[in-house]
Amino acid sequence: MNAQEARSKYFTDFGGRFRARLSSVQASGTAAAPSETTGVSAKYQCRIKAEYQKDLMGLLEEGMLLAVRNFKSPKTGAGGRYTLLEISRIGPEHYGLKGLSDSSYYPYQFEVIEQTVDDWGTDDKAIMMILMNAIPLNYDLAIDENGECRYVKGFTYPVIAEEVYVLSKETIHQMYNRPVLERMGRNWKKIETSHLAREDCRLGTIKMFEAEGESVPIYVDFERLVRYHFGIFGFTGSGKSNLMSNILRRLIYHSKDVKVVIFDISMEYPFLLQDVLADPKIPSKVVLETPIEDAGQLYKVVVKPRGFEKDERAKRSFEEIMRQGKVGYYAEPTSTTPTYEDVFRQFEMLRQENEGKATNLEAIDAVQRAVTGYMRERRLQRGMAIDEGFVDFLSGEAAKAVEKYKIWKGGSLYAWAATRSELKERIGLGGGEKEGGSYDVQGITEAIESEARLVCLSIVDPNAIKSLAIELSRKVLTERKREFKVEPSILFIFDEAQEFIPSHDRARGIERECTVQVETLLRQGRKYGLGGCIATQRIAYLNTNALQQLHTYFIGPMPRPYDRSLVSNTFTIDQGILEKTLEFAPGEWLLSSYVATGIENVPIFVKADNSELEIERFLG
């Protein structure tokens, strides 16, 4: 294969219309380190000049990938090595307008401007050209003597004035999808795709070749997407819930045993996933805040998308969901049997309350050491429930400590020690699934660990759903730690994540406990097959320690500059690329992933499939 054949295999010139050269490569000039207010900028900015064609401006798009021969490319032979760039800005330039000065005679200015209008409709290369700014992807495309390609991580300086090529749709498909489809055992060489969730596991299409009427699908590795956590960030109306339901529908249809738990504070997922919930082959549960008598009442309480607000066809699917016994309600416990983990959390709270009181801290440490020794001797785990024997032991050790260290009788530490025997009243409490379809934490845990693939916790009371998120995630994580296992994978969805993981400086009371627990789940969960998803419209208010655990990101329009800067800094995405998201229509996203896409940490402009079309098809 000669060099020309190799280039035609991987590149396109839009039927001979695209002829471009690399005019300059400049350092970005950002000397200061990136911060939450500045974001991340690419190390180099590349400037490309292309011959003007009247219809070429309609074919080129931001996000397209370009290739330029670099200094590691061999001088002879069919092979070659190319630096990959991503277009961040496109614009036409007219020689007459470029030379026009604001100080020129006004009638002359207007005459020149008017004459240029007709020029744009021609292919006059003498007075017009197309200018493009591009940033390096930090990957090289290496083509060997046989015409096979591979992608090499790292930046190589491109040759100035070299010809620039556009990657073809087949190359883009191979680049983004080949590793994912090969792991699925599917044929990647032929682009076959469908928007129907049951027929194809794609998430949508790549926006790159929309102007040509071409559809290049985008796939992600569901196992890695779940296990290494992902986030969905976008302003109100960008389609976060639509994208989430689209991902979950395909995840359940096209993965063997992944389980999904949704903390749905806005009560919209029973409607958005009604086709999945009504499927008798998919075990699922909907847990509401209060008991539901019939399908009509269920239809009234759930939130519906704008196009379905007056559409009552959903009552039939809700009747089917009710008939299958998939709807229950959350019975918030008045009291449960404490665990050894609860006792250790009390020690931490006591330390915080007695900070600065050395004698009190010594007494707390003495009791904790005694409890640790008690558990070690009997080989007890923190997640196990306490018994009466332990309560007697704890009460005795607490009494010894307050006596030995002369703890003040009017203080909270003395009161805590004096009331430990009352724990016996809480031993043996707790339930599971109760009469009338009610569930407590234990019952929901049993449903997750048994047959349920989808558990939708639609509860609008903030304190109730936060308490449930704390207890449920802690219980599942503790059970996985007690007996190490990674299967089946469980995905926890935190919709409206600002309610669950606010930043530490904003969190108080139960909010602080919730943000700490969700952060713990994200930090430790992937070792045990537990994944997390965070969806929110205001990322600036979130716990950044939790955000840094995410390995895949879907980013929509975020009008506030601070939010974009925080995303840029947290996920190392160039600010110039993020600016493009402001032009996105609902359902369009910037996708970047370290593990779940075919190539690591490369921003991809995608158009997600519309989940509402699935609902309409199901209702029809």
Side-chain angles (χ1 to χ4, degrees), residues 454-495:
L454 173 62
V455 177
C456 185
L457 306 172
S458 298
I459 300 171
V460 296
D461 183 352
N463 289 332
I465 198 167
K466 289 172 191 173
S467 175
L468 182 55
I470 294 168
E471 296 300 327
L472 189 59
S473 58
R474 178 184 293 149
K475 191 172 184 63
V476 173
L477 181 58
T478 302
E479 291 292 332
R480 289 286 173 105
K481 286 182 175 179
R482 183 183 303 171
E483 182 182 350
F484 175 76
K485 63 177 183 177
V486 296
E487 294 180 347
S489 297
I490 302 176
L491 174 63
F492 292 90
I493 307 290
F494 298 95
D495 195 26

Side-chain angles (χ1 to χ4, degrees), residues 354 357 359-360 363 401-418:
N354 293 274
K357 301 176 182 178
T359 307
N360 288 18
V402 296
E403 180 67 25
K404 178 180 178 180
Y405 291 96
K406 308 299 181 184
I407 302 301
W408 180 49
K409 294 184 178 180
S412 60
L413 180 57
Y414 188 93
W416 174 84

Side-chain angles (χ1 to χ4, degrees), residues 73 121 344 424:
S73 184
F344 279 95
K424 289 183 179 181

Side-chain angles (χ1 to χ4, degrees), residues 432-448:
E433 182 176 357
K434 303 178 181 179
E435 293 184 2
S438 65
Y439 293 84
D440 59 8
V441 175
Q442 181 63 30
I444 296 171
T445 306
E446 291 173 357
I448 296 170

Side-chain angles (χ1 to χ4, degrees), residues 301-443:
V301 299
V302 300
V303 175
K304 294 167 276 294
R306 181 180 301 174
F308 295 91
E309 289 176 345
K310 297 181 180 180
D311 191 338
E312 297 190 357
R313 292 177 296 171
K315 290 182 179 179
R316 292 178 298 175
S317 58
F318 288 158
E319 287 173 0
E320 179 62 22
I321 296 170
M322 294 282 292
R323 188 188 66 78
Q324 295 177 28
K326 294 181 175 180
V327 179
Y329 67 96
Y330 177 50
E332 193 170 359
T334 55
S335 182
T336 58
T337 301
T339 63
Y340 292 99
E341 181 67 38
D342 294 328
V343 175
F344 279 95
R345 282 203 301 274
Q346 289 181 1
F347 290 144
E348 291 300 321
M349 293 172 62
L350 288 170
R351 281 196 186 86
Q352 293 176 9
E353 291 177 6
N354 293 274
E355 188 176 1
K357 301 176 182 178
T359 307
N360 288 18
L361 292 175
E362 289 180 10
I364 296 168
D365 289 340
V367 179
Q368 182 169 345
R369 285 195 299 270
V371 172
T372 302
Y374 179 93
M375 294 177 62
R376 187 182 299 116
E377 289 176 5
R378 292 161 178 78
R379 297 184 177 181
L380 300 171
Q381 301 292 330
R382 286 195 174 198
M384 295 180 177
I386 63 175
D387 56 19
E388 292 189 4
F390 172 75
V391 174
D392 292 335
F393 173 81
L394 177 63
S395 181
E397 291 298 322
K400 291 179 187 177
V402 296
E403 180 67 25
K404 178 180 178 180
Y405 291 96
K406 308 299 181 184
I407 302 301
W408 180 49
K409 294 184 178 180
S412 60
L413 180 57
Y414 188 93
W416 174 84
T419 56
R420 290 310 85 202
S421 59
E422 296 179 5
L423 289 174
K424 289 183 179 181
E425 299 177 3
R426 296 175 58 188
I427 292 175
L429 299 176
E433 182 176 357
K434 303 178 181 179
E435 293 184 2
S438 65
Y439 293 84
D440 59 8
V441 175
Q442 181 63 30

Side-chain angles (χ1 to χ4, degrees), residues 265-328:
I265 198 169
S266 55
M267 291 193 69
E268 54 187 344
Y269 287 95
F271 192 96
L272 293 174
L273 293 173
Q274 60 183 283
D275 54 328
V276 181
L277 293 167
D279 191 336
K281 296 180 181 179
I282 301 175
S284 53
K285 296 286 183 184
V286 178
V287 180
L288 304 172
E289 189 171 348
T290 56
I292 294 295
E293 298 295 332
D294 53 35
Q297 186 181 359
L298 178 59
Y299 176 82
K300 289 180 180 179
V301 299
V302 300
V303 175
K304 294 167 276 294
R306 181 180 301 174
F308 295 91
E309 289 176 345
K310 297 181 180 180
D311 191 338
E312 297 190 357
R313 292 177 296 171
K315 290 182 179 179
R316 292 178 298 175
S317 58
F318 288 158
E319 287 173 0
E320 179 62 22
I321 296 170
M322 294 282 292
R323 188 188 66 78
Q324 295 177 28
K326 294 181 175 180
V327 179

